[in-house]
């Protein structure tokens, strides 16, 4: 079972920031938070990951709370092309064996960006 | 584009048949993971290959099998196809088993 909880759907106006929340209250100390998105049955696209510090890249920002029990993915200026299902995943890094850090997907959040 | 390619893009089979799906990993990546995604669901982990050895398996029956070649490309084989095997099959490659996984576009399998 997925170790994360996300709202099933969210709307966002084009040009505004999209803030997607994720709860992972049982996260372990060696588990990272990963975000992927999937546009209309294409392969999932990696967005960003982090351990405990906030992270930013060209696609998004990831804010992780101090207790690491929740996080928020921020798309600063959403466009229509950001309409997708967004998955928040916790996974181990640094462990090669024992299923090598498999990804366990939940249902994700379906983000609809509207004009 | 992730550099991960899959073939074929679409496939139609009948119950009881066998199918082979192929995945070419991104250059320099030695690990391939396979996932099954049923309609309306998130992807489910099938298994992972790391340096040509199976490195973990999800809750799938033995008729799902795989292979990884010396160039780190991979195959997923499914025997005795069932209707419920209809799904999008995704492969993902990573630099090593623990690194970020990058997905291919998937193969859509329909079993009639």
């Amino acid at each position: 079972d997925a170790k994360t909880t996300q709202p099933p759907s969210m709307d966002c106006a084009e040009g505004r920031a999209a803030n997607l929340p994720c709860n992972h209250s049982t996260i372990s100390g060696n588990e990272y938070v990963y975000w992927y998105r999937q546009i209309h049955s294409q392969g999932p696209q990696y967005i960003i990951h982090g351990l405990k510090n906030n992270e930013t890249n060209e696609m998004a920002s990831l804010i992780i709370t101090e207790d690491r029990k929740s996080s928020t993915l921020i798309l600063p200026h959403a466009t229509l092309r950001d309409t997708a299902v967004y998955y928040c995943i916790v996974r181990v890094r640094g462990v090669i064996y024992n299923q090598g850090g498999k990804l366990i997907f939940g249902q994700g959040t379906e983000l609809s960006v509207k004009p | 584009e992730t550099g991960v390619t899959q073939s074929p893009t679409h496939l139609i089979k009948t119950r009881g048949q066998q199918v082979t799906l192929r995945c070419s990993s991104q250059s320099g990546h030695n690990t391939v993971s396979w996932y099954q995604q049923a309609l309306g669901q998130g992807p489910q982990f099938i298994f992972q290959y790391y340096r040509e050895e199976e490195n973990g398996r999800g809750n799938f029956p033995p008729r799902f099998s795989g292979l990884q070649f010396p160039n780190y490309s991979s195959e997923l084989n499914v025997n005795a196809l069932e209707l419920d095997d209809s799904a999008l099959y995704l492969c993902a490659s990573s630099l090593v088993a623990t690194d970020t996984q990058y997905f291919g576009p998937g193969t859509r399998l329909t079993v009639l």
Side-chain angles (χ1 to χ4, degrees):
Chain A
D1 289 345
K3 295 182 66 173
T4 61
T5 304
Q6 300 177 251
S9 64
M10 292 181 63
D11 290 339
C12 178
E14 189 177 19
R16 306 296 293 268
N19 297 283
L20 292 95
C22 179
N23 288 321
H24 31 80
S25 58
T26 62
I27 192 170
S28 301
N30 63 348
E31 288 182 317
Y32 285 65
V33 180
Y34 274 76
W35 284 84
Y36 284 80
R37 72 181 183 183
Q38 189 172 26
I39 298 172
H40 194 49
S41 290
Q42 299 176 18
Q45 178 187 23
Y46 165 74
I47 302 173
I48 198 168
H49 73 277
L51 182 62
K52 56 183 178 181
N53 297 319
N54 298 339
E55 302 287 345
T56 296
N57 63 20
E58 65 279 3
M59 290 183 67
S61 295
L62 174 59
I63 308 298
I64 303 173
T65 59
E66 193 169 342
D67 63 8
R68 302 207 326 123
K69 292 185 177 182
S70 66
S71 60
T72 301
L73 179 75
I74 301 172
L75 308 178
H77 305 287
T79 71
L80 299 179
R81 288 185 292 181
D82 292 322
T83 293
V85 177
Y86 287 76
Y87 295 100
C88 169
I89 298 165
V90 297
R91 73 173 287 223
V92 172
R93 278 175 67 97
V95 176
I96 293 177
Y97 301 105
N98 190 27
Q99 304 202 353
K102 66 182 179 182
L103 299 175
I104 302 176
F105 289 80
Q107 295 291 87
T109 295
E110 187 166 7
L111 175 69
S112 296
V113 180
K114 301 182 183 301
Chain B
E1 297 295 327
T2 62
V4 180
T5 61
Q6 293 186 242
S7 62
T9 54
H10 296 86
L11 202 53
I12 299 175
K13 292 285 189 178
T14 56
R15 270 189 309 174
Q17 286 189 310
Q18 178 265 343
V19 69
T20 298
L21 310 181
R22 295 177 175 84
C23 172
S24 292
S25 59
Q26 191 174 128
S27 178
H29 287 190
N30 63 20
T31 302
V32 171
S33 304
W34 285 92
Y35 294 82
Q36 180 196 64
Q37 185 173 25
L39 203 61
Q41 304 295 317
Q44 300 294 308
F45 176 74
I46 303 175
F47 44 56
Q48 181 183 82
Y49 279 84
Y50 169 60
R51 292 184 174 177
E52 302 180 58
E53 298 287 333
E54 186 177 291
N55 182 41
R57 185 180 187 92
N59 189 26
F60 281 81
R63 60 190 185 83
F64 285 78
S65 63
L67 199 59
Q68 188 177 33
F69 300 98
N71 67 355
Y72 302 129
S73 65
S74 177
E75 285 183 355
L76 164 65
N77 299 290
V78 186
N79 293 321
L81 284 167
E82 301 177 359
L83 297 179
D84 285 349
D85 295 333
S86 294
L88 181 67
Y89 288 85
L90 297 157
C91 82
S93 77
S94 49
L95 191 60
V96 293
T98 59
D99 203 5
T100 300
Q101 295 183 16
Y102 296 91
F103 285 82
T107 293
R108 171 71 63 186
L109 173 65
T110 302
V111 182
L112 302 176

